[in-house]
Amino acid sequence: MSLNNKLTKILIIDFGSQFTQLIARRVREFGVFSEIISHKKIKINQIINNNIGGIILSGGPLNVYQNDKFKFDKKILSLKIPVLGICFGHQILSKELGGRVKKSKHREFGLATIKKVSNSKLTKNFFNKDNSNNVWMSHADQVSKMPKNFKIIASSKNSKLAIIENTKNNYYGVQFHPEVTHTNKGKILLRNFVFYICKLKKNWSSKDQKLELIRDIKKQVGNNKVICGLSGGVDSSVVAQLLSKAIRKNLTCIFVNNGLLRKNEETQVVNTFKKKLRINLVYVNAEKEFIKKLTNISDPEKKRKIIGNLFIKIFERYAKKIKNVKFLAQGTLYPDLIESRSVTGSQTSKIKSHHNVGGLPKRMKLKLVEPLKFLFKDEVRKLGLELNLSKDIISRHPFPGPGLAIRMPGNITREKINILKEADYYFIKALRDNGLYDKIWQAYAALLPVKTVGVMGDNRTYEHICLLRAITSEDGMTADFFDFPKGFMQSISNQIINNIRGINRVVYDVTSKPPSTIELE
Ligand code: XMP
């Protein structure tokens, strides 16, 4: 993987922690660019030649003496770049510099109180008035012997070496996770590292991003023609608008109606992009083609692969018609790449093939333009506003590429699609009518592959169960169910059952992610 070598950045070396992305987000929230790279892929030359102002070593599930399971080139520590080790990162830093790590007698998971031992630049304004602070720990091992020339900055009851530093070489280690919100004032500690220790300046605003991305697109595609898969969702809308600012006359957006969209979606997208934003848009009605291929397919991964492949085929077909198209633009985001295991290649296991990544056929003929692939969703939203897209588009809930297909476990039929479109329509409308839409990160209706008995009027019914899901989240990587105000669920359940034939029972999904995922498949 190549790094963005223009901006001075914080480099995060990922050892497989579930919080690595959070570290990157925090740094970017401070207005400083950050990138993640897997411990397996990092090469010392990349660090020397890439404007790296600070290195953060992430946490991870490993033990520092499992040498065959991870890579760490000790030379990284002699480049005179400040280093902050977090949890496993703290342990590997200590071990490599001559300290020792051993299994903790008392494992610490959850909140722990640390007490200040000495002053440090790293902890300026971090401790409470009584010189203590609550931090979030998650470790089974701990540093048992500090390397030479280090001093203790803070200790907890079970971790004497909770924060250590060597100011001469700018090495810092913390046993806890400052990146998670449970650590009180964790952001202050990270901010101190970025600004006081690495001495970085802000270089990452939506405006800078916009200008840089437009420049990059121009450079990448030159005078060639580009097609852009537009779904009308936030990501592809932002990509389309970026491309239109960069290379308007060589851009054709293609909107494929795969028959698995929300109710009236196709009309709304055409109205917004073709009529209002005057983007060159081709509307392709491929409903029949998709439904034919999906008939009798119930395996979630097969559905995803079929849809992903067909999308690309259709793009290629239209690319041929437009002639001389060399590039395909997509709204792939950083988390999409990470969840499909292609950015860092670290230990995180593959969960699903997101269709704009995992579903791409190997023989793909077009080159990809993916201007958002280093951005998180909230950064994309800010960028969209910077590009003058309306708040309506920007604040839309995410909608997955495979659409309603993955909200309908089991067989896909036209009848089920029609029922589901209606249920989703009523649910989303009720959220908007009740002022709840913007409080929720994502919401949808799904149709479960079971029928149950009900009674309506005096008659027996035997119809589908509709599952409603509404979650709050920061970036879709983790999520909690949304706690609706009293009465809302009853009201929407009545509306759905009274208005839609085919549903006689409504249930609400109260699982978080993990252990569930946001979509059902
Ligand atoms: P999961 O179900 O993996 O979803 O927890 C996380 C977020 O990703 C969306 N999602 C997708 N988006 N193509 C997309 O563009 C896909 O194949 C895909 N699958 C899931 C999902 O809606 C949620 O916002």
Side-chain angles (χ1 to χ4, degrees), residues 22 42 249 342 348 354 423 469 475 508 520:
L22 267 184
I42 186 76
K249 72 175 177 24
S342 47
T348 336
H354 279 210
R469 184 124 168 92
D475 50 23
Y508 185 49
L520 296 192

Side-chain angles (χ1 to χ4, degrees), residues 304 339 352 354-355 398 400-402 441-442 476 513 517-519:
R304 285 174 170 277
E339 284 216 341
K352 299 175 183 181
H354 279 210
H355 102 230
W441 197 81
Q442 186 171 13
K513 174 186 178 177
T517 53
I518 296 174
E519 301 292 345

Side-chain angles (χ1 to χ4, degrees), residues 235 304 331 336 339 351-357 377 397-403 406-407 441-442 444 469 471 475-477 479 513 516-521:
D235 311 334
R304 285 174 170 277
D336 297 340
E339 284 216 341
I351 314 292
K352 299 175 183 181
S353 305
H354 279 210
H355 102 230
N356 44 2
V357 183
K377 193 93 183 177
H397 290 175
F399 187 72
I406 56 170
R407 294 177 176 176
W441 197 81
Q442 186 171 13
Y444 66 85
R469 184 124 168 92
I471 52 108
D475 50 23
M477 301 293 287
K513 174 186 178 177
S516 292
T517 53
I518 296 174
E519 301 292 345
L520 296 192
E521 298 190 325

Side-chain angles (χ1 to χ4, degrees), residues 13 42 44 47 55 72-79 83:
I13 302 183
I42 186 76
I44 195 96
I47 301 190
I55 295 173
F72 185 74
D73 186 345
K74 201 178 160 182
K75 283 188 220 129
I76 289 174
L77 303 178
S78 35
L79 299 174
V83 178

